[in-house]
Amino acid sequence: MRLPLFWLTDYVDPGMEASKLANRLAMTGTEVDRVHAHGVTALENFVVGRVLEREQHPDADRLSVCQVAIGEGDVATIVCGAPNVAAGQTVGVALPGSVMPDGTKLKKAKLRGIPSNGMILAEDEVSIGMDHAGIMVLDDDLTPGTPLADVLPISTDVLELEITPNRPDCLSVYGVAREVHAATGQPLAPAPWATDPGTPGPIEGVTIEVEDPEFCPRFTARLFEDVTIGPSPRWLKARLMAAGQRPINNVVDITNYAMLLTGQPLHAFDFDLVAGGRLKVRRAGEGEKMLTLDDAERTLDGSMHLIEDGDGPTSIAGIMGGQRSEVQPTTTRVLMEAANWNGPTLQRTSQKLGLRTEASGRFEKGLAPEQAMEGQIVATQLMLELTGARLVDGTIDIGGEGPAPVTLRLRDEKVTRLLGTQVPIREQADILEALEFGVHDAGDGLDVTVPAFRRNDVTREVDLIEEVARLWGLEKLPATIPGHGMSARLTTEQRLRRRAADALVGAGFSEAIGWSFQAPELARKLRIDLPAVKLRNPLSEDLSVMRTTLLGSLLNSVRHNTARGTEDVRLFEEGSVYFDRPHGRTPTAAEARSTPLPDERMHLAALLTGRLHPASWGESNPPTADFFAAKGVLETVLGALRVPFTVVRGSDPFLHPGRAARVLIGGEDAGWLGELHPGVTEEFDLGRVAGFELDLSAVLPHANVAPLYEDLTSFPAIRQDLAFWVPADRTASELVEVVKGAGGKLLKDVSVFDVYAHEGRTSLAVRLEFRAGDRTLTDEEIAPQREKVVKAVASKLEGELRG
Amino acid sequence: MSTATADRIAQLRAEGEAAVASAASTTDLEEIRVRFLGRKAELPNLLRDVGKLPPEERGPVGKGANQARQALQAAVDSRQAELEATELESKLAADIVDVTLPGTPVTPAGHLHILTATRREIEDVFVGLGFSVVEGPEIDLAYYNFDALNHDVHHPARSEADTFYVADDVVLRTQTSPMQVRQMELQAPPLYIIVPGRVYRPDNDATHTPQFHQVEGLAVDEDLTLGDLQGTLLAFARAIFGDDREVRLRPHFFPFTEPSVELDVSCFNCKQGFLRDGSRCPLCKGTAWIEILGAGMVDPNLYGYVEGYDPDKHQGFAWGMGIERIAFLKHRVPDLRMFFENDLRLLEQFG
């Protein structure tokens, strides 16, 4: 909300400059986005002037050459283009050096050969109105040379306030004035609605009916006759302009002014266009249509409300009026409406229609019914003062004021307990009274009565404590650390996840964070069809489906880098993926009665492409990423976690069919490992890419986090190398399994160290490591084991020992 | 022993020692060794033939010859060691590399993402303050994300303009706060937790991305105060932004805390809002304070959603901060969308 300071000072003088006030308001709970200067600067150059002579410009039909008295006997020659300029007028003059609202600096100029030493001002040139048809003509009793700023509000600071949703009462000049009063201690003028020129009772010829009082808790109306529509006075226009509203005509301006001052939106009907002199608030029919002020036809439904007259709908209640009964230049009878609408219902309507107005934005936050009469009274005063209107007797008031105010007990002990420090009870009382709460001493604290305009926000003791705390000064609070004496640490799973990421970082991988949502297209590119969670209201089609694999976002990230000239890319990601299927956790009570949540899992994936390490003068062609490079990384990660695993051939559709594997941990599937299918990498414009992806819930439970000591140092191991010819379809892991099975208890480790294919057979060389915990082994002692191994390989794998 | 024999032994020894001393290389030395101590050399022959001597000469000749041979052998050995050392040095001196050539590359270490590094830093601070780290689902019930957090049924944050929906009652969580209630359902007070994680809102520009990361904090005990909130977050701010930071609380509004505050930290980029050259600090915009998070005392209404929590007995505080914002403030990445591009040229600058 834009708060012009010169308007605020009608009700409270903050007694400090704008930036200080902004800071004080921020520290008491009213955020100030920024302070800006409205209007002109270099004020000393703006003065009152009197046009002494006006002559036609010799070379320009539309220009006048004026001699203007600007005080102290000085006379300036000013060339003026306004049609209404005339000798004898008192005017506003900007002298050279003036800085205009758009920041331009006025200079001496020559206009069609005649020097001009200034400018005679129109309203819009100093941002106090929209009128540019002619210059402003001021009162004749002003003395030339008088600073113009003393006469017209041509310059003011404006605070741009960020009002929190719980404080709709602060969406008004008087509402903020109350806060400023409480925050600064400066005196507050009486409310502008303190004097009501109106009278209660029915109005002859006006019938108002409210069908749905829950939606419309209060409806007030007054009737004015003999209204003359015309421009508003300068002081009013200047206030609207500074607050960011465009002046239109006196009646519309009055509704806006009353709204800005009191927070209550109003609507003015041309009463002669209200058919039958009657208005009715009712629910709209399903599919009912009406034409709104913005010239759009709106289709309503049964949850919405409208106001109709004898001929049908005229307004969407609380949101926008209709064209049919709009105030016209010829209007002479005005029915002024100030009503209160149910915020949530109105908000839904406004959302459904995609129609948000200044009024609806205020109503949806929940105004107090009392505000309706406050706005009505201010409007009445101005209608009488500015439009020549006569108020017809009576005031329609359906619904009346809101519920009786509540009184809450504020316990001194509770204040201390919540804030951690004592606030003297007298200060508590002073603060609350400054905020217009009623305060009475009670045994253990205060009995506090909540004013109507805070009815929705302050309902409990704790809400009162907040009021006390924010004005007492949060800067006076102590900074203490709770003495709970509890210790905390990361969970095993959290520590393992960090360990896995650290291992990957050590192995040369950088961490990526991809988008959780992706395009449906991505699943097609990856040739997968897993049950995915779809968003009902995505930002775009490209971000409409939740990912079921980290592969897609990682590939996008790899591609982002290769496309920018980084050829060697090693990236990993640890993040959630989401499946549209039951999750298998025990549901909470709320989950049990709701739509089932998807199955959300933490995955870890890594991809690499390009060279495994940079080329150098000693090695111009370093090895590049392939299946075994990826497997090496997988071994590094799972080794760091102490998770034993095996792999089997796999067939994931996005992988190279000959270089695809599944990772098994504890006998269960934990993810994929492989080189990506060239058809897939082509879609991403990438070369060979290898990698893996693991479901961490299948990995982490198998980590050996507290290994027991094994004596590997007291006695040396004995190593034996054996090479076998095996048929080509036998795998290394089969050989290792057979060797392990036959090698006996002393065989501690078997590893493949050489592979060589020849004529349909494969030579696999394995290193066997035997160790005993209590003695040094000899070749003789393990010879029988070696024999058993050779026999087992022969019988189970048709393998033979190479010579 | 004849004088001639004794003289001959002495002569051989002297000749041998002189030759050894003058040997210029290990090859020379080997020749000399063979000449004086080899199978066919005179001195060993004297020893070998000692048996043929008259008995009274055997002792003195044997002894003399043996002494001479041992002395010569020792001289050879010592000269051998000398020559080997010299020869190694000269060989190494010839084996020169260009020490200015680049080293052989290993695979360079990678980097944690800046958001993970920041998240870990935050986690570690709060673990040190006795807060456990808990995590929850990113796709959650509107109940946990809104209802149980005191958001009225019509709260504007629930609108499709502000929340991603999967079903009428299922949303992408817009904050990490749903874990507050989930954890309270699991655990009676005292409760000290932080909740790091990914959250979602339908915005996309330089300062808002549709996914981002938060760390929620929640402490519920019997006598926690707003002063405790300030002290805890002061400790946090100093750990992250430097020991001489100050914090201030500013009143604010959130549906799930009462009183609600925003926490500002004193700007670490300037003095009182101005840089050394007198210009206005771009980070704090001249205010000397930077907003880093929202916080407050847990609204007593929240305790009504869970068992074991008594609004008359229990009090607590909560806060929520954006990891991106903390990372931005510390490292000044200019556009939040860059966090999710995963450009290695950016990733390698951090973590």
Side-chain angles (χ1 to χ4, degrees):
Chain A
M1 190 190 82
R2 289 162 58 110
L3 177 75
L5 275 193
F6 77 99
W7 194 350
L8 176 75
T9 47
D10 286 358
Y11 302 101
V12 60
D13 178 359
M16 57 181 82
E17 61 177 90
S19 63
K20 287 239 165 61
L21 175 63
N23 190 52
R24 181 66 189 142
L25 283 173
M27 294 311 291
T28 52
T30 309
E31 204 169 327
V32 182
D33 270 351
R34 63 188 199 107
V35 181
H36 78 255
H38 174 84
V40 300
T41 43
L43 287 180
E44 66 278 10
N45 297 307
F46 291 88
V47 295
V48 173
R50 180 159 296 121
V51 182
L52 303 175
E53 290 171 29
R54 179 211 160 260
E55 284 173 4
Q56 180 65 40
H57 190 293
D59 296 324
D61 290 349
R62 292 188 183 168
L63 294 181
S64 308
V65 180
C66 306
Q67 302 305 318
V68 184
I70 52 172
E72 295 179 6
D74 292 341
V75 175
T77 304
I78 296 176
V79 179
C80 178
N84 67 329
V85 66
Q89 284 172 338
T90 302
V91 294
V93 176
L95 297 172
S98 297
V99 179
M100 309 312 286
D102 64 359
T104 55
K105 195 169 175 183
L106 193 69
K107 295 184 186 128
K108 290 187 184 178
K110 260 189 182 172
L111 291 164
R112 294 282 179 109
I114 297 194
S116 179
N117 289 314
M119 183 160 86
I120 303 178
L121 296 163
E123 274 182 0
D124 69 328
E125 286 161 343
V126 286
S127 293
I128 60 170
M130 302 294 291
D131 191 0
H132 191 66
I135 54 160
M136 294 183 283
V137 179
L138 308 180
D139 291 344
D140 284 339
D141 56 1
L142 297 172
T143 315
T146 307
L148 191 62
D150 291 355
V151 182
L152 290 173
I154 56 173
S155 175
T156 182
D157 284 321
V158 176
L159 302 189
E160 293 189 12
L161 304 176
E162 179 98 41
I163 303 297
T164 52
N166 59 322
R167 294 299 305 274
D169 61 296
C170 283
L171 292 169
S172 66
V173 173
Y174 194 75
V176 179
R178 287 190 195 110
E179 279 292 315
V180 171
H181 160 66
T184 64
Q186 294 292 100
L188 178 69
W193 51 83
T195 317
D196 184 0
T199 51
I203 308 174
E204 206 183 313
V206 182
T207 316
I208 309 278
E209 196 184 337
V210 175
E211 266 192 0
D212 187 351
E214 212 166 297
F215 173 67
C216 179
R218 190 175 200 183
F219 193 108
T220 71
R222 278 181 175 169
L223 181 62
F224 299 89
E225 290 181 341
D226 304 331
V227 174
T228 308
I229 302 290
S232 298
R234 243 166 236 137
W235 66 264
L236 197 159
K237 287 198 278 193
R239 277 166 168 67
L240 293 185
M241 290 286 288
Q245 289 261 358
R246 242 176 100 215
I248 295 172
N249 62 42
N250 50 5
V251 173
V252 175
D253 292 351
I254 285 167
T255 62
N256 285 328
Y257 181 91
M259 173 179 76
L260 292 170
L261 179 56
T262 68
Q264 169 68 43
L266 298 100
H267 182 71
F269 292 87
D270 181 330
F271 191 63
D272 290 320
L273 300 175
V274 174
R278 49 185 295 271
L279 292 174
K280 180 157 120 182
V281 178
R282 65 160 171 87
R283 266 179 198 276
E286 207 63 47
E288 191 166 356
K289 291 186 166 51
M290 72 163 292
L291 197 65
T292 43
L293 265 178
D294 56 351
D295 215 8
E297 191 182 60
R298 311 272 171 184
T299 308
L300 311 184
D301 69 32
S303 73
M304 306 177 180
H305 293 76
L306 46 75
I307 304 178
E308 69 171 14
D309 63 12
D311 285 347
T314 71
S315 304
I316 302 177
I319 300 180
M320 191 176 267
Q323 281 185 341
R324 194 153 52 76
S325 46
E326 198 183 347
V327 170
Q328 321 275 327
T330 54
T331 300
T332 59
R333 291 207 297 167
V334 167
L335 184 74
M336 191 66 76
E337 167 216 321
N340 184 271
W341 310 104
N342 177 280
T345 313
L346 192 116
Q347 190 202 341
R348 268 196 314 271
T349 301
S350 143
Q351 246 174 39
K352 276 191 204 165
L353 293 175
L355 183 61
R356 209 159 174 278
T357 60
E358 174 79 39
S360 72
R362 288 166 178 271
F363 285 128
E364 71 187 25
K365 293 183 178 72
L367 300 182
E370 288 75 3
Q371 282 176 273
M373 259 333 277
E374 293 165 5
Q376 190 68 266
I377 292 168
V378 169
T380 308
Q381 295 163 352
L382 292 172
M383 286 295 289
L384 299 180
E385 186 184 327
L386 304 178
T387 71
R390 188 176 64 76
L391 176 62
V392 176
D393 279 349
T395 302
I396 308 275
D397 184 0
I398 299 171
E401 296 189 345
V406 294
T407 296
L408 303 167
R409 173 67 52 87
L410 178 62
R411 292 166 296 172
D412 190 35
E413 172 270 331
K414 185 72 182 171
V415 174
T416 307
R417 198 174 148 224
L418 199 69
L419 300 183
T421 187
Q422 210 155 15
V423 181
I425 197 153
R426 277 285 41 95
E427 286 197 40
Q428 296 178 37
D430 289 348
I431 288 166
L432 291 167
E433 278 172 346
L435 290 168
E436 300 191 12
F437 287 81
V439 178
H440 295 280
D441 285 331
D444 53 355
L446 302 169
D447 275 333
V448 182
T449 307
V450 182
F453 59 90
R454 302 298 303 279
R455 183 187 285 127
N456 295 337
D457 180 37
V458 179
T459 58
R460 304 161 302 173
E461 182 179 37
V462 68
D463 301 323
L464 292 172
I465 297 175
E466 176 172 59
E467 296 302 305
V468 167
R470 73 186 175 90
L471 284 155
W472 177 68
L474 295 179
E475 69 277 7
K476 295 179 203 156
L477 282 178
T480 47
I481 299 269
H484 55 76
M486 307 226 304
S487 70
R489 62 182 309 214
L490 296 179
T491 63
T492 301
E493 193 197 301
Q494 287 160 350
R495 276 180 288 130
L496 287 170
R497 272 162 41 197
R498 285 192 178 191
R499 177 106 181 93
D502 290 342
L504 281 161
V505 166
F509 283 70
S510 284
E511 188 190 11
I513 295 185
W515 293 101
S516 296
F517 3 69
Q518 57 192 31
E521 172 71 3
L522 202 54
R524 186 201 59 74
K525 283 188 184 173
L526 299 178
R527 307 159 175 207
I528 52 176
D529 185 20
L530 293 163
V533 177
K534 293 174 187 65
L535 297 185
R536 229 163 56 177
N537 55 329
L539 272 185
S540 69
E541 177 73 1
D542 278 353
L543 301 170
S544 64
V545 179
M546 301 301 283
R547 63 185 177 182
T548 57
T549 168
L550 301 178
L551 177 58
S553 48
L554 263 185
L555 274 171
N556 282 334
S557 296
V558 171
R559 173 63 193 149
H560 174 92
N561 283 288
T562 60
R564 281 155 187 80
T566 310
E567 292 165 2
D568 308 330
V569 182
R570 294 175 297 276
L571 287 176
F572 77 96
E573 178 164 6
E574 183 196 279
S576 292
V577 299
Y578 323 82
F579 301 97
D580 189 13
R581 67 186 183 207
H583 55 63
R585 282 181 287 111
T586 311
T588 65
E591 284 173 7
R593 57 175 189 264
S594 309
T595 305
L597 291 178
D599 188 15
E600 199 171 312
R601 302 199 165 231
M602 185 65 75
H603 277 198
L604 175 69
L607 288 183
L608 64 165
T609 188
R611 293 167 294 196
L612 300 182
H613 56 81
S616 70
W617 55 272
E619 190 186 21
S620 56
N621 285 308
T624 56
D626 65 0
F627 178 88
F628 294 104
K631 189 171 181 190
V633 177
L634 177 71
E635 285 163 353
T636 300
V637 176
L638 294 178
L641 300 178
R642 292 196 195 84
V643 171
F645 75 101
T646 55
V647 302
V648 294
R649 288 276 307 272
S651 60
D652 288 287
F654 49 84
L655 293 179
H656 180 313
R659 295 168 182 218
R662 298 296 306 180
V663 181
L664 304 182
I665 294 174
E668 283 182 28
D669 190 285
W672 59 264
L673 161 71
E675 271 175 35
L676 295 193
H677 197 293
V680 170
T681 52
E682 198 187 353
E683 297 259 18
F684 292 86
D685 212 2
L686 290 167
R688 186 161 60 186
V689 180
F692 60 83
E693 177 164 2
L694 300 171
D695 180 346
L696 288 178
S697 67
V699 175
L700 302 182
H702 298 278
N704 185 0
V705 287
L708 292 176
Y709 174 71
E710 188 184 351
D711 183 358
L712 302 178
T713 50
S714 296
F715 299 97
I718 187 164
R719 298 191 179 91
Q720 295 252 319
D721 292 349
L722 297 173
F724 295 99
W725 282 114
V726 294
D729 60 349
R730 295 302 185 183
T731 65
S733 67
E734 283 176 302
L735 177 66
V736 168
E737 281 311 302
V738 168
V739 172
K740 276 186 177 163
K745 276 194 305 199
L746 298 176
L747 178 60
K748 299 298 183 191
D749 191 36
V750 181
S751 56
V752 176
F753 69 90
D754 190 42
V755 184
Y756 155 67
H758 183 66
E759 292 180 355
R761 293 195 301 172
T762 307
S763 162
L764 286 167
V766 288
R767 173 160 296 170
L768 281 58
E769 190 173 297
F770 295 92
R771 190 187 309 104
D774 55 354
R775 64 191 185 281
T776 302
L777 293 174
T778 62
D779 285 347
E780 292 73 36
E781 194 174 355
I782 59 162
Q785 262 69 38
R786 187 174 177 277
E787 277 314 302
K788 283 186 191 163
V789 165
V790 173
K791 274 189 194 154
V793 172
S795 68
K796 294 187 176 163
L797 301 175
E798 299 162 54
E800 74 181 71
L801 203 57
R802 260 176 85 187
Chain B
M1 178 173 67
S2 74
T3 316
T5 311
D7 288 350
R8 184 61 188 154
I9 290 170
Q11 191 189 358
L12 282 171
R13 177 175 173 175
E15 279 176 18
E17 283 176 345
V20 165
S22 68
S25 68
T26 50
T27 324
D28 269 9
L29 184 64
E30 178 60 11
E31 264 172 39
I32 292 162
R33 189 191 65 77
V34 170
R35 181 143 47 95
F36 289 91
L37 294 169
R39 191 172 278 274
K40 291 173 188 163
E42 195 177 348
L43 195 56
N45 279 342
L46 269 175
L47 268 170
R48 212 174 296 132
D49 294 344
V50 93
K52 298 173 186 167
L53 291 178
E56 70 278 10
E57 285 196 14
R58 286 176 196 166
V61 171
K63 191 180 170 198
N66 201 34
Q67 277 175 347
R69 196 193 62 172
Q70 282 176 357
L72 263 183
Q73 185 65 52
V76 167
D77 289 349
S78 124
R79 184 66 184 152
Q80 175 79 23
E82 274 173 39
L83 288 171
E84 276 178 5
T86 311
E87 284 171 16
L88 178 63
E89 282 312 314
S90 55
K91 192 173 137 201
L92 293 183
D95 180 15
I96 296 172
V97 297
D98 177 358
V99 297
T100 66
L101 282 173
T104 305
V106 292
T107 303
H111 299 266
L112 286 179
H113 195 283
I114 176 175
L115 294 179
T116 301
T118 307
R119 166 179 164 162
R120 283 193 187 182
E121 218 182 321
I122 297 168
E123 286 174 350
D124 291 349
V125 172
F126 285 110
V127 166
L129 289 167
F131 287 75
S132 299
V133 179
V134 300
E135 292 159 280
E138 293 171 18
I139 305 179
D140 208 343
L141 298 179
Y143 171 80
Y144 288 118
N145 197 75
F146 294 124
D147 303 1
L149 292 172
N150 214 24
H151 286 65
D152 166 293
V153 197
H154 306 293
H155 195 282
R158 293 173 181 259
S159 79
E160 291 212 344
D162 291 315
T163 301
F164 287 115
Y165 277 84
V166 168
D168 285 342
D169 56 349
V170 179
V171 300
L172 303 194
R173 64 177 176 188
T174 61
Q175 47 197 354
T176 39
S177 318
M179 243 347 249
Q180 286 192 14
V181 184
R182 283 183 171 271
Q183 195 63 23
M184 286 198 281
E185 284 179 350
L186 292 175
Q187 189 185 340
L191 176 74
Y192 293 85
I193 57 164
I194 62 165
V195 189
R198 189 173 293 191
V199 301
Y200 303 89
R201 287 180 204 171
D203 295 314
N204 207 359
D205 58 44
T207 55
H208 299 87
T209 46
Q211 71 179 23
F212 56 103
H213 299 80
Q214 285 188 334
V215 178
E216 183 86 5
L218 174 67
V220 182
D221 210 329
E222 292 193 3
D223 284 307
L224 293 180
T225 67
L226 198 56
D228 292 333
L229 165 70
Q230 175 160 255
T232 301
L233 294 178
L234 174 65
F236 158 77
R238 288 185 174 170
I240 298 289
F241 295 111
D243 287 337
D244 44 3
R245 296 276 69 77
E246 294 298 335
V247 297
R248 70 174 191 189
L249 300 180
R250 250 184 314 105
H252 200 70
F253 171 77
F254 302 108
F256 39 92
T257 47
E258 187 79 23
S260 300
V261 295
E262 282 186 329
L263 183 86
D264 296 340
V265 62
S266 56
C267 184
F268 36 84
N269 191 46
C270 67
K271 276 217 162 93
Q272 305 297 327
F274 293 91
L275 302 181
R276 278 203 188 149
D277 63 5
S279 63
R280 210 169 68 129
C281 173
L283 199 62
C284 66
K285 302 193 172 66
T287 63
W289 293 95
I290 298 172
E291 178 193 329
I292 56 169
L293 55 85
M297 300 304 289
V298 176
D299 193 296
N301 287 6
L302 261 65
Y303 301 135
Y305 288 91
V306 284
E307 279 174 35
Y309 286 74
D310 176 354
D312 285 332
K313 184 172 155 199
H314 295 120
Q315 279 182 189
F317 58 82
W319 74 88
M321 68 177 93
I323 300 180
E324 279 82 353
R325 176 151 180 84
I326 304 290
F328 157 76
L329 289 173
K330 275 197 83 160
H331 305 292
R332 321 279 165 83
V333 177
D335 184 331
L336 293 197
R337 289 171 292 201
M338 293 173 84
F339 285 133
F340 306 116
E341 282 177 356
N342 303 311
D343 192 311
L344 281 162
R345 293 168 299 183
L346 179 126
L347 295 179
E348 286 170 358
Q349 295 179 41
F350 308 104

